[in-house]
Amino acid sequence: MKKTVHIIGSGFSSLAASCYLAKDGYDVTIFEKNNTIGGRARQLKKDGFTFDIGPTWYWMPDVFERFFSDFNKKPEEYYTLEKLNPAYSVYFGKNDFITIEDTLEKIIQAFEKEESGSSIKLKKFIEEAKSNYDIAIKDLVYNPGLSPLELITPATIKKINQFFSTIKKDVRKEFKNERLVMILEFPVLFLGAKPSDTPSFYSFMNYADFGLGTFHPKKGMYQVILAMENLAKELGVKIKTNANIEKIIVEHGEAKGLVCNGEAYLSNIVLSGADYHHTETLLDKPYRQYSERYWSKKTFAPSSLLFYVGFDKKLEQVNHHTLFFDVDFELHAQDIYDKPKWPDNPLFYASFPSKTDSSTAPEGKEAGIFLIPLAPGLEDTPELRTTYFDKIITRFENLTSQTVRDKILFKESFCLKDFVEDYNSYKGNAYGMANTLLQTAFLRPKLKSKTVDNLFFTGQLTVPGPGVPPSLISGKLAANLISKYNTVTV
């Protein structure tokens, strides 16, 4: 009979792993604690509006294509993808913004207009970023993080200095215009750390941004989750929702199944795509790999305060993705990473999917998602949420020269307490563990448990790191390790 695999969680990494394992002949069941699948990439529907609760950026389309091609499929068989033009805009002051369009040529022109001579520097910078992308995304990140030797290749040896310099140093060495600097430093925020703590090699995120562009799946990012669910079910994967895992069953040092809603479900292999720290609390203490001290010393990516807002009118002077960098980036970063506290003047991001996709809001209305990055582990109260909504809406109205407050039909919020309650997220983090030099590849928590046989992990706290494309890759890596250590039949 087939070997059975029970998977905790139904986010991108879990769904990806389930597909690979089912394809390899395993009997796979996913257990999801919430009433809908998707993990952090769930969806909110209200009064004719549709919001992606989690990820809203579709970058690195080649990673999605590679995933589906592993099953002789294409993304377009499941969802319709549109390249955004403009990709996004960045506000620096009242009616003062730079627009990032859909081709590198247009972006180069925008840079040159802002800073004479910057076009030549940008071409060179993106050429290097593309070289890093080809090394990283096409090869390096598909290693399971078992050994430092995975990082040593003829290509990476040539770039060894880039692992010991930082994005901030590289960008500021070439570009003097602070506005362009902020735009170039922005993409690495997806990796969960400050540009000053992110190795230069990660400039491949700039190629993802400028070279490949920003896309939108029609009806939202949740369509990707539904696509993966459909593929998983086509391959025979079973999915249980409202299935809260209370314990991982271990006998004689080997994972034997799960306790879900008070009932035991036995299996040959357990794979967790849930929060890594939380998963270890499902084990008796002798079987936990990492202490509370270990987790407390790690650099975590930010949490977020999110608002999902229905507007009773179409908004002006904004694009599908709009960034508001009109305040001091360094001060906000310090409030996240150095001395964690609620920021006095936060940068924020807004997404208006109805600018592109009419299915996300009723006619004549606008769907708005607002995000403020926060340090994990902060106090989270309704009063704080209200205060910060007022802060950003006031600035939003001023920067875009329009009145919107009186056109708000409703707003829903999501913050640290919700990340903990809904996803068992460590300290309420939103994006997992940051990709700093000392938290890269083999230095991240392991895909395979060192203390329990047949227990594996996947997702943003293990390799390769934060983000949707890395989560797809993480699922593949975990599935490959399981197949490596197990035969399909017993």
Side-chain angles (χ1 to χ4, degrees):
M1 59 184 293
K2 289 183 176 181
K3 276 197 171 183
T4 54
V5 181
H6 287 166
I7 300 178
I8 305 172
S10 66
F12 282 107
S13 59
S14 292
L15 287 169
S18 76
C19 293
Y20 287 108
L21 290 166
K23 180 186 174 187
D24 285 347
Y26 292 91
D27 182 349
V28 183
T29 303
I30 290 174
F31 294 79
E32 168 56 53
K33 76 181 286 284
N34 294 306
N35 59 9
T36 58
I37 66 161
R40 299 174 194 222
R42 293 181 299 155
Q43 197 173 57
L44 168 67
K45 291 192 174 187
K46 182 171 181 175
D47 299 343
F49 292 84
T50 301
F51 306 90
D52 284 312
I53 290 178
T56 55
W57 293 79
Y58 191 108
W59 273 7
M60 304 183 188
D62 51 319
V63 175
F64 295 87
E65 290 164 7
R66 183 166 174 176
F67 168 76
F68 284 104
S69 70
D70 285 340
F71 305 93
N72 297 315
K73 301 285 187 178
K74 296 179 179 179
E76 53 264 36
E77 294 178 51
Y78 296 96
Y79 54 88
T80 301
L81 206 58
E82 177 180 351
K83 189 172 188 181
L84 295 182
N85 185 30
Y88 56 92
S89 56
V90 186
Y91 268 88
F92 297 98
K94 185 169 185 176
N95 301 321
D96 178 15
F97 56 88
I98 294 176
T99 298
I100 301 300
E101 296 190 69
D102 62 337
T103 68
L104 182 56
E105 291 73 21
K106 294 175 186 175
I107 297 167
I108 286 170
Q109 290 172 16
F111 267 55
E112 184 64 27
K113 182 179 178 182
E114 187 70 22
E115 179 183 323
S116 178
S118 64
S119 59
I120 297 170
K121 295 176 182 178
L122 183 60
K123 284 179 184 177
K124 182 180 177 183
F125 184 80
I126 296 300
E127 283 173 7
E128 186 69 26
K130 182 182 186 303
S131 172
N132 290 351
Y133 190 92
D134 290 340
I135 294 168
I137 303 302
K138 294 180 181 178
D139 183 23
L140 218 57
V141 296
Y142 284 90
N143 287 315
L146 301 178
S147 164
L149 297 178
E150 294 172 1
L151 296 177
I152 302 173
T153 69
T156 57
I157 288 172
K158 292 178 183 177
K159 294 177 178 285
I160 191 68
N161 290 338
Q162 291 193 34
F163 288 92
F164 298 99
S165 184
T166 68
I167 290 290
K168 181 175 181 176
K169 285 181 183 177
D170 286 7
V171 169
R172 291 175 184 268
K173 182 173 65 179
E174 298 294 337
F175 299 89
K176 306 308 175 188
N177 182 292
E178 189 64 26
R179 293 146 64 99
L180 299 185
V181 166
M182 291 176 76
I183 291 172
L184 287 169
E185 290 182 346
F186 150 69
V188 302
L189 298 180
F190 285 98
L191 301 171
K194 293 191 296 185
S196 58
D197 292 329
T198 303
S200 301
F201 184 74
Y202 284 102
S203 68
F204 63 72
M205 292 295 292
N206 293 101
Y207 177 70
D209 180 3
F210 289 178
L212 297 176
T214 303
F215 295 78
H216 172 72
K218 189 174 181 181
K219 298 185 180 180
M221 285 290 288
Y222 196 65
Q223 294 305 304
V224 186
I225 289 291
L226 296 178
M228 296 176 74
E229 177 192 28
N230 288 338
L231 175 59
K233 288 181 174 178
E234 289 168 16
L235 293 163
V237 175
K238 298 176 285 294
I239 300 175
K240 295 179 181 290
T241 53
N242 297 307
N244 183 47
I245 303 304
E246 294 146 347
K247 189 176 181 63
I248 296 173
I249 301 168
V250 179
E251 294 178 4
H252 307 297
E254 185 176 348
K256 292 292 185 180
L258 305 170
V259 176
C260 172
N261 297 334
E263 185 177 348
Y265 291 83
L266 300 182
S267 64
N268 302 109
I269 298 152
V270 172
L271 169 63
S272 179
D275 179 274
Y276 204 124
H277 169 270
H278 170 73
T279 301
E280 290 224 304
T281 69
L282 302 176
L283 295 164
D284 292 332
K285 282 191 176 180
Y287 295 120
R288 298 175 191 175
Q289 304 170 88
Y290 305 108
S291 66
E292 289 298 322
R293 186 170 179 271
Y294 169 90
W295 293 111
S296 68
K297 287 183 171 295
K298 293 300 173 184
T299 300
F300 274 80
S303 185
S304 299
L305 170 56
L306 291 135
F307 296 101
Y308 311 99
V309 186
F311 292 98
D312 194 19
K313 73 169 187 176
K314 300 300 291 184
L315 303 189
E316 301 169 356
Q317 297 244 81
V318 291
N319 291 311
H320 185 128
H321 296 297
T322 307
L323 304 166
F324 295 87
F325 285 1
D326 57 304
V327 297
D328 192 315
F329 173 86
E330 287 294 330
L331 287 178
H332 190 171
Q334 289 172 21
D335 292 340
I336 295 173
Y337 297 103
D338 301 333
K339 295 179 180 178
K341 70 181 186 71
W342 281 82
D344 294 324
N345 293 300
L347 286 77
F348 66 97
Y349 152 71
S351 173
F352 304 97
S354 46
K355 286 289 177 188
T356 300
D357 189 342
S358 61
S359 72
T360 59
E363 187 175 354
K365 304 182 191 303
E366 205 86 85
I369 302 167
F370 296 83
L371 182 153
I372 301 173
L374 297 172
L378 298 179
E379 179 187 24
D380 172 17
T381 67
E383 292 77 17
L384 280 166
R385 297 188 190 195
T386 299
T387 295
Y388 277 81
F389 184 75
D390 289 341
K391 276 179 183 273
I392 63 171
I393 286 298
T394 297
R395 274 176 43 210
F396 178 83
E397 289 184 318
N398 177 58
L399 292 167
T400 63
S401 297
Q402 62 187 314
T403 301
V404 301
R405 197 184 295 266
D406 61 343
K407 294 297 182 180
I408 293 174
L409 296 170
F410 64 83
K411 75 174 189 295
E412 300 284 344
S413 66
F414 198 95
C415 197
L416 289 99
K417 282 185 177 179
D418 303 297
F419 281 104
V420 173
E421 183 176 336
D422 287 7
Y423 312 130
N424 296 307
S425 171
Y426 181 70
K427 291 187 177 181
N429 80 82
Y431 305 106
M433 188 183 288
N435 259 334
T436 60
L437 178 61
L438 297 179
Q439 294 181 178
T440 293
F442 68 97
L443 296 172
R444 297 179 71 81
K446 302 301 182 186
L447 290 165
K448 183 180 184 296
S449 173
K450 298 177 288 187
T451 55
V452 179
D453 289 338
N454 289 331
L455 173 61
F456 297 82
F457 299 83
T458 187
Q460 298 187 107
L461 268 68
T462 182
V463 291
V468 175
S471 292
L472 294 181
I473 295 167
S474 185
K476 180 174 185 174
L477 295 176
N480 287 347
L481 270 188
I482 289 170
S483 294
K484 177 182 176 182
Y485 285 95
N486 291 270
T487 53
V488 174
T489 57
V490 293

